[in-house]
Amino acid sequence: MLTVHHLRLSQSERIVWLCEEMGIDYDLKLYNRREDNNLAPDEYKALHPMGIAPVITDGNFVLGESGAIFDWLVAQYGDRGLFPAKESPDFANHLFFLHWANATFMTNGMMALVAGRMLQAEIPPFVADRMAKSWAIIEQRLGEAEYFGGSQLTTADIMMGFQLTTSRAMSGMGIDGMPNLQAYLKRIGERPAYQQAMAKAEPGMPPKLD
Ligand SMILES: N[C@@H](CCC(=O)N[C@@H](CS)C(=O)NCC(=O)O)C(=O)O
């Protein structure tokens, strides 16, 4: 049986949400972060040589890294309407946001987190510039289309979701000046699969959608 190992308040919530949108049968195992350093506990670190979330297992099979897990799940179970065909006008935008989410948007967020909150240093201007551009791109895209990958929810939305929601719950970042993002998060919050995923992944914590 496929097992999704979810480290609380982490990017592995993406995998729970993806499984719920795809309607896959899976076991979910929850792990709390360590109290002393907020990292994954030893039990989680033992799952995969990299020791970070997400990880999935199935018998002796182990796979880490959000993008690899997305690709693996789509290859095993089919895209279930979450991946536009290459003929679709949404194909390129879907690919852009699917990959940009982790490769650029998340990376910039991490650099800002390390500088600002961990080192209590000034965020380097090039990081601040990338972050400002990133949030502007998000607001613009959601003014053009209902979802990042076009008129329907795609894997791009699921890859983007953590940084727009749970990550903001931790950073305290507001989105008052972003009406398109606010409307989008309301749509996401109305999805039964998202509600189900978050109730399982973060029991007792309302999703951060405002
Ligand atoms: N690019 C990786 C990033 C994984 C990552 O940084 N995970 C963080 C949680 S958001 C983690 O496991 N932190 C706990 C630790 O490092 O022990 C992915 O998407 O899989």
Side-chain angles (χ1 to χ4, degrees), residues 123-194:
I123 295 173
F126 85 95
V127 177
D129 179 59
R130 288 180 181 207
M131 287 307 295
K133 282 182 179 148
S134 296
W135 289 100
I137 284 171
I138 288 166
E139 185 61 7
Q140 183 182 338
R141 175 62 183 158
L142 296 175
E144 295 163 358
E146 297 258 296
Y147 295 96
F148 286 105
S151 58
Q152 292 182 4
L153 186 112
T154 66
T155 57
D157 299 283
I158 302 172
M159 195 67 86
M160 288 290 295
F162 172 76
Q163 215 174 340
L164 302 178
T165 58
T166 305
S167 174
R168 284 194 313 102
M170 294 185 280
S171 72
M173 183 197 160
I175 53 169
D176 281 352
M178 302 183 70
N180 298 332
L181 177 57
Q182 287 171 7
Y184 167 81
L185 291 178
K186 187 165 181 302
R187 286 195 287 283
I188 295 294
E190 286 164 357
R191 297 185 71 83
Y194 180 76

Side-chain angles (χ1 to χ4, degrees), residues 76-155:
Q76 297 297 322
Y77 297 93
D79 67 51
R80 315 235 173 161
L82 293 168
F83 205 107
K86 72 177 187 332
E87 297 76 22
S88 163
D90 295 327
F91 184 64
N93 271 318
H94 167 257
L95 284 180
F96 173 79
F97 284 101
L98 174 63
H99 293 284
W100 180 82
N102 236 356
T104 299
F105 185 42
M106 179 59 80
T107 307
N108 295 338
M110 286 294 280
M111 286 193 284
L113 175 80
V114 170
R117 291 186 59 205
M118 294 181 171
L119 301 178
Q120 316 250 298
E122 195 181 325
I123 295 173
F126 85 95
V127 177
D129 179 59
R130 288 180 181 207
M131 287 307 295
K133 282 182 179 148
S134 296
W135 289 100
I137 284 171
I138 288 166
E139 185 61 7
Q140 183 182 338
R141 175 62 183 158
L142 296 175
E144 295 163 358
E146 297 258 296
Y147 295 96
F148 286 105
S151 58
Q152 292 182 4
L153 186 112
T154 66
T155 57

Side-chain angles (χ1 to χ4, degrees), residues 16-17 20-22 190-198:
V16 187
W17 183 16
E20 293 292 334
E21 292 285 353
M22 292 177 86
E190 286 164 357
R191 297 185 71 83
Y194 180 76
Q195 293 169 2
Q196 183 92 330
M198 293 309 293

